[in-house]
Amino acid sequence: MTPHAPHSPPRSAEVHDAWEAIPGSPEATLALCCEHASARIPAPWTTTPADAPWMGTHWAIDLGARALTLGLAKALGAPAVLSRFSRLLCDANRPESAPDLCRPEVEGHPLSFNVGVDAAERQRRLDRFHRPYHAQIDHMLNTHRPRLLFSVHTFTPVYIGAPRSVQVGVLFDLHDELAARFADLLQPLDLRTELNQPWSGKAGLAFSPDLHGRKAGIPYLELEVRQDLLATPGQVEQLTGPMALALAELCAGLPEVHQGPASS
C-alpha cells in the first residue's frame, strides 16, 4: 500500500466526511486525536499529475501517524478522532485564520486545487472539514472526560537538506512538568527524545490539542515521531507497546476529571 492509498477504517469506527472516530472504553483515561491522518482529496476537488509527487509525502499527510494512533487506541481502549482530509486541502492543526490553512504551493510547486482560493472557498473548506473535525473532538471529550488529550503527529528525517537527530518530540505549552515526565517514561524506547522539538508547542504549533485541552480543562500534549521509525507495520507495532505503557503510567498519575462537560 502506498502512503496515500485509501485506508480501511476499523470495523467499530464511525466515519464522517471530515473525520473517523474510534469509540473508547468508559474507563479510558486518555483521548487521542490525529490532525494529519489522511492524504484524501475528496470530490469536487481534484489533483493533477503535477500534484501527484507531493500527495504521498509529509506535505499531504503525517506518514505513520494514523497507524500509531489506531495502535494506541486499541492498546489503551482510548477514544480517538482522526482526520479524513489532507492537510494540503485544509490544515486541521492550524487556526481558521492561518495564512497556510490552504497552502498554495509546496517547495515552489503551485498546487492545482489551491490556486486562487478566496474567502468563500476558505469558508467552504472550513464548513466541510475543519469545523466538523474539531466539533467531533469536543464531542469525544464531552463523552469521555479523559485525564489527558494526546495528539499524534510525525515529522521528516531530513528538513531542508539537514538530517534531524531527534527521533521523538514531546510538544507542550502549559504543561512543562507533564511533558518532561512523559519524556522520562519513554526512556525504555532508547530513542533520542526532546521537549518541544523539532518545533515548539509554545510557539503555537500544537494548535488542536491546545484548543481542545484548554476548552475541556484537561492537560494536553502533542507527540512527534520521526517518520522512519514508523515506516513498516512491524515498526509501528514495536513502538506502540512501550508508548502505550508510558501513556498509561502518565495518565495514572493525573487526577480524575469531575467537572461538567467541555463547552463545544
Side-chain angles (χ1 to χ4, degrees), residues 225-244:
V225 179
R226 209 171 65 190
Q227 290 169 3
D228 56 311
L229 301 175
L230 298 169
T232 68
Q235 286 179 299
V236 173
E237 185 177 356
Q238 185 177 14
L239 192 62
T240 298
M243 190 161 288

PDB file of all heavy atoms in Angstrom, residues 225-244:
ATOM      1  N   VAL A 225       6.796  11.939  16.090  1.00  0.00           N
ATOM      2  CA  VAL A 225       7.679  10.793  15.882  1.00  0.00           C
ATOM      3  C   VAL A 225       8.316  10.909  14.501  1.00  0.00           C
ATOM      4  O   VAL A 225       7.614  11.202  13.525  1.00  0.00           O
ATOM      5  CB  VAL A 225       6.907   9.460  15.986  1.00  0.00           C
ATOM      6  CG1 VAL A 225       7.839   8.279  15.731  1.00  0.00           C
ATOM      7  CG2 VAL A 225       6.247   9.330  17.347  1.00  0.00           C
ATOM      8  N   ARG A 226       9.617  10.687  14.412  1.00  0.00           N
ATOM      9  CA  ARG A 226      10.287  10.749  13.112  1.00  0.00           C
ATOM     10  C   ARG A 226       9.770   9.618  12.222  1.00  0.00           C
ATOM     11  O   ARG A 226       9.680   8.472  12.650  1.00  0.00           O
ATOM     12  CB  ARG A 226      11.804  10.656  13.291  1.00  0.00           C
ATOM     13  CG  ARG A 226      12.576  11.375  12.189  1.00  0.00           C
ATOM     14  CD  ARG A 226      14.040  11.445  12.508  1.00  0.00           C
ATOM     15  NE  ARG A 226      14.635  10.088  12.521  1.00  0.00           N
ATOM     16  CZ  ARG A 226      15.854   9.830  12.960  1.00  0.00           C
ATOM     17  NH1 ARG A 226      16.597  10.803  13.455  1.00  0.00           N
ATOM     18  NH2 ARG A 226      16.329   8.602  12.932  1.00  0.00           N
ATOM     19  N   GLN A 227       9.449   9.930  11.000  1.00  0.00           N
ATOM     20  CA  GLN A 227       8.721   9.006  10.137  1.00  0.00           C
ATOM     21  C   GLN A 227       9.448   7.700   9.858  1.00  0.00           C
ATOM     22  O   GLN A 227       8.802   6.658   9.677  1.00  0.00           O
ATOM     23  CB  GLN A 227       8.404   9.688   8.804  1.00  0.00           C
ATOM     24  CG  GLN A 227       7.371  10.782   8.927  1.00  0.00           C
ATOM     25  CD  GLN A 227       7.264  11.615   7.681  1.00  0.00           C
ATOM     26  OE1 GLN A 227       7.932  11.345   6.671  1.00  0.00           O
ATOM     27  NE2 GLN A 227       6.451  12.657   7.735  1.00  0.00           N
ATOM     28  N   ASP A 228      10.753   7.716   9.843  1.00  0.00           N
ATOM     29  CA  ASP A 228      11.475   6.480   9.538  1.00  0.00           C
ATOM     30  C   ASP A 228      11.311   5.433  10.635  1.00  0.00           C
ATOM     31  O   ASP A 228      11.603   4.255  10.423  1.00  0.00           O
ATOM     32  CB  ASP A 228      12.958   6.763   9.287  1.00  0.00           C
ATOM     33  CG  ASP A 228      13.633   7.476  10.448  1.00  0.00           C
ATOM     34  OD1 ASP A 228      13.076   8.484  10.930  1.00  0.00           O
ATOM     35  OD2 ASP A 228      14.723   7.045  10.872  1.00  0.00           O
ATOM     36  N   LEU A 229      10.806   5.846  11.801  1.00  0.00           N
ATOM     37  CA  LEU A 229      10.552   4.902  12.888  1.00  0.00           C
ATOM     38  C   LEU A 229       9.197   4.207  12.747  1.00  0.00           C
ATOM     39  O   LEU A 229       8.889   3.286  13.506  1.00  0.00           O
ATOM     40  CB  LEU A 229      10.596   5.621  14.238  1.00  0.00           C
ATOM     41  CG  LEU A 229      11.905   6.328  14.583  1.00  0.00           C
ATOM     42  CD1 LEU A 229      11.769   7.103  15.873  1.00  0.00           C
ATOM     43  CD2 LEU A 229      13.049   5.323  14.676  1.00  0.00           C
ATOM     44  N   LEU A 230       8.389   4.657  11.775  1.00  0.00           N
ATOM     45  CA  LEU A 230       7.038   4.123  11.584  1.00  0.00           C
ATOM     46  C   LEU A 230       6.819   3.695  10.136  1.00  0.00           C
ATOM     47  O   LEU A 230       5.688   3.676   9.654  1.00  0.00           O
ATOM     48  CB  LEU A 230       6.000   5.178  11.966  1.00  0.00           C
ATOM     49  CG  LEU A 230       6.009   5.666  13.423  1.00  0.00           C
ATOM     50  CD1 LEU A 230       5.112   6.890  13.584  1.00  0.00           C
ATOM     51  CD2 LEU A 230       5.565   4.548  14.360  1.00  0.00           C
ATOM     52  N   ALA A 231       7.882   3.326   9.457  1.00  0.00           N
ATOM     53  CA  ALA A 231       7.808   3.059   8.019  1.00  0.00           C
ATOM     54  C   ALA A 231       7.164   1.720   7.680  1.00  0.00           C
ATOM     55  O   ALA A 231       6.705   1.519   6.555  1.00  0.00           O
ATOM     56  CB  ALA A 231       9.199   3.136   7.401  1.00  0.00           C
ATOM     57  N   THR A 232       7.127   0.782   8.627  1.00  0.00           N
ATOM     58  CA  THR A 232       6.549  -0.536   8.375  1.00  0.00           C
ATOM     59  C   THR A 232       5.577  -0.891   9.495  1.00  0.00           C
ATOM     60  O   THR A 232       5.673  -0.357  10.608  1.00  0.00           O
ATOM     61  CB  THR A 232       7.639  -1.618   8.317  1.00  0.00           C
ATOM     62  OG1 THR A 232       8.214  -1.787   9.619  1.00  0.00           O
ATOM     63  CG2 THR A 232       8.732  -1.253   7.313  1.00  0.00           C
ATOM     64  N   PRO A 233       4.646  -1.814   9.242  1.00  0.00           N
ATOM     65  CA  PRO A 233       3.746  -2.254  10.314  1.00  0.00           C
ATOM     66  C   PRO A 233       4.506  -2.807  11.515  1.00  0.00           C
ATOM     67  O   PRO A 233       4.094  -2.606  12.664  1.00  0.00           O
ATOM     68  CB  PRO A 233       2.898  -3.325   9.638  1.00  0.00           C
ATOM     69  CG  PRO A 233       2.896  -2.956   8.196  1.00  0.00           C
ATOM     70  CD  PRO A 233       4.256  -2.390   7.930  1.00  0.00           C
ATOM     71  N   GLY A 234       5.613  -3.500  11.266  1.00  0.00           N
ATOM     72  CA  GLY A 234       6.404  -4.029  12.364  1.00  0.00           C
ATOM     73  C   GLY A 234       6.983  -2.941  13.238  1.00  0.00           C
ATOM     74  O   GLY A 234       7.015  -3.061  14.473  1.00  0.00           O
ATOM     75  N   GLN A 235       7.436  -1.864  12.618  1.00  0.00           N
ATOM     76  CA  GLN A 235       7.971  -0.747  13.384  1.00  0.00           C
ATOM     77  C   GLN A 235       6.880  -0.067  14.205  1.00  0.00           C
ATOM     78  O   GLN A 235       7.107   0.320  15.349  1.00  0.00           O
ATOM     79  CB  GLN A 235       8.622   0.265  12.439  1.00  0.00           C
ATOM     80  CG  GLN A 235       9.958  -0.166  11.865  1.00  0.00           C
ATOM     81  CD  GLN A 235      10.509   0.879  10.916  1.00  0.00           C
ATOM     82  OE1 GLN A 235       9.894   1.204   9.899  1.00  0.00           O
ATOM     83  NE2 GLN A 235      11.667   1.414  11.241  1.00  0.00           N
ATOM     84  N   VAL A 236       5.708   0.076  13.606  1.00  0.00           N
ATOM     85  CA  VAL A 236       4.590   0.678  14.339  1.00  0.00           C
ATOM     86  C   VAL A 236       4.256  -0.163  15.566  1.00  0.00           C
ATOM     87  O   VAL A 236       4.091   0.360  16.680  1.00  0.00           O
ATOM     88  CB  VAL A 236       3.353   0.821  13.429  1.00  0.00           C
ATOM     89  CG1 VAL A 236       2.144   1.292  14.238  1.00  0.00           C
ATOM     90  CG2 VAL A 236       3.628   1.782  12.284  1.00  0.00           C
ATOM     91  N   GLU A 237       4.177  -1.473  15.371  1.00  0.00           N
ATOM     92  CA  GLU A 237       3.860  -2.366  16.479  1.00  0.00           C
ATOM     93  C   GLU A 237       4.937  -2.312  17.563  1.00  0.00           C
ATOM     94  O   GLU A 237       4.629  -2.310  18.762  1.00  0.00           O
ATOM     95  CB  GLU A 237       3.710  -3.795  15.960  1.00  0.00           C
ATOM     96  CG  GLU A 237       3.262  -4.794  17.006  1.00  0.00           C
ATOM     97  CD  GLU A 237       3.047  -6.178  16.439  1.00  0.00           C
ATOM     98  OE1 GLU A 237       3.176  -6.338  15.206  1.00  0.00           O
ATOM     99  OE2 GLU A 237       2.748  -7.096  17.229  1.00  0.00           O
ATOM    100  N   GLN A 238       6.190  -2.248  17.147  1.00  0.00           N
ATOM    101  CA  GLN A 238       7.288  -2.213  18.102  1.00  0.00           C
ATOM    102  C   GLN A 238       7.248  -0.959  18.963  1.00  0.00           C
ATOM    103  O   GLN A 238       7.588  -0.991  20.152  1.00  0.00           O
ATOM    104  CB  GLN A 238       8.620  -2.285  17.343  1.00  0.00           C
ATOM    105  CG  GLN A 238       9.854  -2.365  18.236  1.00  0.00           C
ATOM    106  CD  GLN A 238      11.128  -2.499  17.423  1.00  0.00           C
ATOM    107  OE1 GLN A 238      11.148  -2.274  16.213  1.00  0.00           O
ATOM    108  NE2 GLN A 238      12.217  -2.875  18.082  1.00  0.00           N
ATOM    109  N   LEU A 239       6.825   0.140  18.383  1.00  0.00           N
ATOM    110  CA  LEU A 239       6.766   1.404  19.113  1.00  0.00           C
ATOM    111  C   LEU A 239       5.488   1.532  19.944  1.00  0.00           C
ATOM    112  O   LEU A 239       5.499   2.136  21.019  1.00  0.00           O
ATOM    113  CB  LEU A 239       6.858   2.570  18.116  1.00  0.00           C
ATOM    114  CG  LEU A 239       7.094   3.969  18.683  1.00  0.00           C
ATOM    115  CD1 LEU A 239       8.432   4.040  19.411  1.00  0.00           C
ATOM    116  CD2 LEU A 239       7.053   4.998  17.558  1.00  0.00           C
ATOM    117  N   THR A 240       4.397   0.950  19.457  1.00  0.00           N
ATOM    118  CA  THR A 240       3.097   1.126  20.098  1.00  0.00           C
ATOM    119  C   THR A 240       3.068   0.595  21.525  1.00  0.00           C
ATOM    120  O   THR A 240       2.570   1.272  22.436  1.00  0.00           O
ATOM    121  CB  THR A 240       1.992   0.446  19.271  1.00  0.00           C
ATOM    122  OG1 THR A 240       1.923   1.053  17.982  1.00  0.00           O
ATOM    123  CG2 THR A 240       0.644   0.585  19.959  1.00  0.00           C
ATOM    124  N   GLY A 241       3.579  -0.615  21.737  1.00  0.00           N
ATOM    125  CA  GLY A 241       3.504  -1.235  23.061  1.00  0.00           C
ATOM    126  C   GLY A 241       4.163  -0.416  24.152  1.00  0.00           C
ATOM    127  O   GLY A 241       3.512  -0.033  25.146  1.00  0.00           O
ATOM    128  N   PRO A 242       5.458  -0.080  24.016  1.00  0.00           N
ATOM    129  CA  PRO A 242       6.117   0.720  25.050  1.00  0.00           C
ATOM    130  C   PRO A 242       5.502   2.107  25.217  1.00  0.00           C
ATOM    131  O   PRO A 242       5.430   2.627  26.337  1.00  0.00           O
ATOM    132  CB  PRO A 242       7.560   0.814  24.558  1.00  0.00           C
ATOM    133  CG  PRO A 242       7.737  -0.355  23.656  1.00  0.00           C
ATOM    134  CD  PRO A 242       6.408  -0.557  23.005  1.00  0.00           C
ATOM    135  N   MET A 243       5.040   2.709  24.094  1.00  0.00           N
ATOM    136  CA  MET A 243       4.442   4.037  24.213  1.00  0.00           C
ATOM    137  C   MET A 243       3.108   3.976  24.939  1.00  0.00           C
ATOM    138  O   MET A 243       2.768   4.858  25.738  1.00  0.00           O
ATOM    139  CB  MET A 243       4.286   4.671  22.836  1.00  0.00           C
ATOM    140  CG  MET A 243       3.905   6.133  22.887  1.00  0.00           C
ATOM    141  SD  MET A 243       4.254   6.976  21.340  1.00  0.00           S
ATOM    142  CE  MET A 243       6.037   7.063  21.367  1.00  0.00           C
ATOM    143  N   ALA A 244       2.345   2.903  24.694  1.00  0.00           N
ATOM    144  CA  ALA A 244       1.079   2.733  25.399  1.00  0.00           C
ATOM    145  C   ALA A 244       1.311   2.555  26.895  1.00  0.00           C
ATOM    146  O   ALA A 244       0.579   3.121  27.719  1.00  0.00           O
ATOM    147  CB  ALA A 244       0.321   1.528  24.833  1.00  0.00           C
TER     148      ALA A 244
END
